[in-house]
Amino acid sequence: MIDLKLLQKEFDTVSKKLMRKGVDEKLLEKVKVKFEELKEAKVNFESLQAAQNAMSKEFGVYKREGKDISELKAKVDENKIHIADALEVQRLRQEELEKIAMAIPNIPDDDVPDGEDEESNVELGRVLTPKEFSFTPKEHWELAEQNGWIDFERGVKLAGSRFSVAYDMGAKLERALINFMLNYNAKKGYTEVSVPHIVNRKALEGTGQLPKFEDDLYKIEGQELFLIPTAEVPLTNLFQDEIIPADNLPIKMTGYTSCYRKEAGAAGRDTRGIIRQHQFHKVELVCITKPEESEAVFDDMVNTASEILTALELPHRLVNLCTGDLGFGAAHTTDIEVWLPGQNTYREISSISNTRDFQARRAKIRYKNGKKNELVNTLNGSSLAVGRTIVAIMENYQNEDGSISIPEVLKPYMGM
RNA sequence: GGAUCUUUGGCAGAGUUGGUCGAAUGCACCGGUCUUGAAAACCGGCGAGGGUCACACCUCCCAGGGUUCGAAUCCCUGAGGGUCCA
């Protein structure tokens, strides 16, 4: 949720920034008006309520003094009707406002580059040089089938398209990577947390997946529960409605979960292989910080994810997302793209975002700054998407005969 | 599963003939006096959210609903905890 007070006070500045992200200025004006109307309704309701309270107190006095209360009662009864009306008005306006305000994305930072889509993303740097192959490197699905690591047909049999089954070294690699990543993150000061894979609506509203992106979520029939699309949701919402002592910040967490996504808007994209699955494994980083320290923590998260790739000797690059490619809740995002020689391109393997106070405002996560309660900053990032890491390992570690070597650092995790 | 009791501020714990209760008291905590420093003692402050320049004011005594001019206090439903019976 954006800061409505800020929108009201500095409409021109805020709307200009949001227009960079394609938000219609008319919509923002509407939000501003609705916000003012809501405040008005609140003041109205509260003053009626105050009058009611005062009269009720008088009642006590009258009774004790044995005075006649019929006139006062008439007044109070009339006021009651007004209160009911005022409350209804307030409720409606609140609903109206929330409906549109909740669908407004976060304000992008000033240094986020302009752009429609990923074409305008800005490369920040490269780590490791892709190696030259003496043969034409294959794509991962081919290697996966050839080595018997991944079974696409039986995944479809069990659950449908975009599901797959991992076997043998493919399955072991999954497990090894998860452990390796979690251990690495723990060493960097991130506390390991194991969370539910099913969450309620409030949690998803807190992190911004709802109400706007319900189509992308798997919902449990008959219940207001959803499968998580990322561990970011439960990890961030651990602190929903809490006021955290300043000394406890920053909170740095890492967690492994499966992630479940309908991929509603992705028809036809990445249909081969395991780049885009309905269920995939991911190790996530989530941090909760004071506003002034969030950028330092952000850098640490990017480094942590990048270091894992470096340890796996996978070439990658860092990319600063442009306004058009930025997610709903992010103020700015750095993607890490790993080199895939089979596809001869870099593909996203991690996305690290600073949402600043956008999620904190929705989820009411605050901290005690002296005497005042202030919103925290929340950050999230993958470190890393496990399936895509396997893809990267397959393509980068392939040999001419189609076999695949195992990265040195993973061998201990695979009983080798 | 049945009966009964219970659910209050960081903790403990008053508050059930409904009104002056957002709530006594103790502990904890913060500030001060005293002290070389600390402890003790004494003085002062001290629930949360919204709102305001600051007040005022609104909301919150497990959750939700109801009765009433007015509810922490009464009624209903649900959840957690205790005890007894199965």
Side-chain angles (χ1 to χ4, degrees):
Chain A
M1 182 96 115
I2 58 161
D3 186 346
L4 295 177
K5 271 192 208 166
L6 190 71
L7 179 73
Q8 187 195 19
K9 247 192 270 170
E10 297 172 32
F11 184 80
D12 289 341
T13 321
V14 174
S15 66
K16 212 171 273 170
K17 290 181 180 189
L18 277 168
M19 280 158 70
R20 290 215 301 142
K21 210 159 161 177
V23 180
D24 184 6
E25 187 169 20
K26 287 217 181 78
L27 180 70
L28 292 172
E29 250 158 37
K30 198 169 154 192
V31 169
K32 186 182 166 218
V33 170
K34 295 277 175 208
F35 179 58
E36 277 156 6
E37 283 176 358
L38 173 63
K39 275 176 83 171
E40 201 182 279
K42 266 191 167 162
V43 168
N44 183 244
F45 167 73
E46 283 180 10
S47 60
L48 285 170
Q49 186 68 265
Q52 181 80 359
N53 290 343
M55 283 192 274
S56 292
K57 261 188 188 162
E58 236 178 300
F59 244 91
V61 178
Y62 273 43
K63 269 207 153 167
R64 221 170 308 126
E65 295 174 352
K67 284 196 204 163
D68 178 34
I69 56 169
S70 53
E71 196 182 320
L72 185 58
K73 172 136 170 54
K75 253 166 70 183
V76 138
D77 282 343
E78 199 204 327
N79 194 53
K80 249 182 128 176
I81 298 165
H82 295 317
I83 285 183
D85 290 347
L87 182 62
E88 183 61 11
V89 170
Q90 183 190 317
R91 199 184 57 79
L92 286 174
R93 290 186 181 179
Q94 174 94 41
E95 260 175 28
E96 244 179 303
L97 175 66
E98 257 169 27
K99 214 162 139 194
I100 46 177
M102 287 286 268
I104 293 174
N106 199 2
I107 298 166
D109 280 359
D110 290 338
D111 54 4
V112 171
D114 276 311
E116 293 269 307
D117 53 31
E118 58 192 34
E119 294 298 309
S120 307
N121 293 346
V122 175
E123 186 175 303
L124 299 170
R126 298 189 178 203
V127 182
L128 301 178
T129 315
K131 75 172 180 188
E132 297 289 334
F133 286 85
S134 57
F135 54 95
T136 307
K138 294 175 178 150
E139 301 209 38
H140 78 273
W141 54 81
E142 209 179 331
L143 295 161
E145 274 180 340
Q146 187 183 332
N147 286 278
W149 286 11
I150 298 173
D151 184 344
F152 298 103
E153 282 79 24
R154 290 198 177 88
V156 172
K157 179 159 80 178
L158 288 174
S161 65
R162 293 196 195 279
F163 287 94
S164 59
V165 180
Y167 288 97
D168 192 35
M169 291 305 269
K172 276 190 183 175
L173 204 50
E174 248 175 28
R175 174 165 56 80
L177 279 168
I178 291 164
N179 279 327
F180 172 66
M181 290 169 184
L182 285 172
N183 284 344
Y184 192 87
N185 295 341
K187 241 183 276 168
K188 295 273 291 192
Y190 294 82
T191 305
E192 186 173 339
V193 185
S194 177
V195 288
H197 294 200
I198 296 176
V199 295
N200 57 29
R201 180 172 288 275
K202 199 175 168 197
L204 287 154
E205 282 173 354
T207 29
Q209 285 76 15
L210 287 179
K212 214 179 171 184
F213 305 104
E214 185 154 351
D215 288 348
D216 271 323
L217 299 169
Y218 286 103
K219 189 174 180 193
I220 312 280
E221 196 177 349
Q223 298 187 57
E224 284 298 285
L225 295 172
F226 302 80
L227 295 179
I228 55 170
T230 160
E232 168 199 339
V233 178
L235 285 173
T236 307
N237 281 289
L238 284 173
F239 295 92
Q240 169 193 100
D241 282 324
E242 292 193 22
I243 295 167
I244 302 165
D247 289 348
N248 294 4
L249 298 176
I251 294 168
K252 296 167 73 182
M253 298 173 286
T254 186
Y256 152 73
T257 68
S258 287
C259 303
Y260 309 88
R261 298 182 185 179
K262 280 193 177 168
E263 297 291 353
R269 292 178 64 194
D270 305 310
T271 47
R272 294 204 76 175
I274 58 165
I275 289 279
R276 197 174 296 275
Q277 300 269 284
H278 286 311
Q279 176 185 338
F280 60 95
H281 304 288
K282 183 155 62 75
V283 173
E284 185 79 359
L285 300 173
V286 167
C287 293
I288 295 179
T289 75
K290 296 176 193 168
E292 65 269 22
E293 68 190 6
S294 72
E295 276 310 288
V297 171
F298 179 84
D299 291 342
D300 184 66
M301 292 166 74
V302 173
N303 289 338
T304 300
S306 170
E307 284 159 18
I308 288 176
L309 286 172
T310 304
L312 293 168
E313 296 177 60
L314 293 171
H316 55 283
R317 64 173 189 170
L318 307 184
V319 170
N320 188 16
L321 295 196
C322 72
T323 51
D325 210 16
L326 211 55
F328 181 74
H332 73 94
T333 296
T334 294
D335 269 11
I336 299 180
E337 298 181 344
V338 69
W339 175 250
L340 297 183
Q343 296 188 23
N344 196 36
T345 186
Y346 285 97
R347 285 300 302 258
E348 177 194 336
I349 194 167
S350 171
S351 193
I352 296 131
S353 298
N354 188 348
T355 78
R356 305 221 180 259
D357 61 11
F358 186 79
Q359 293 179 329
R361 186 172 295 104
R362 289 176 159 237
K364 293 205 176 66
I365 308 173
R366 290 164 291 182
Y367 78 105
K368 271 266 180 254
N369 185 12
K371 249 190 117 56
K372 291 200 77 171
N373 299 324
E374 285 179 29
L375 294 169
V376 298
N377 278 193
T378 64
L379 304 96
N380 62 81
S382 22
S383 98
L384 305 155
V386 175
R388 291 190 180 187
T389 308
I390 293 175
V391 168
I393 289 172
M394 285 193 285
E395 294 201 8
N396 282 280
Y397 280 80
Q398 62 179 296
N399 304 308
E400 186 156 14
D401 62 1
S403 65
I404 298 159
S405 306
I406 299 297
E408 281 305 316
V409 291
L410 291 182
K411 285 182 178 170
Y413 290 90
M414 299 181 71
M416 296 170 77

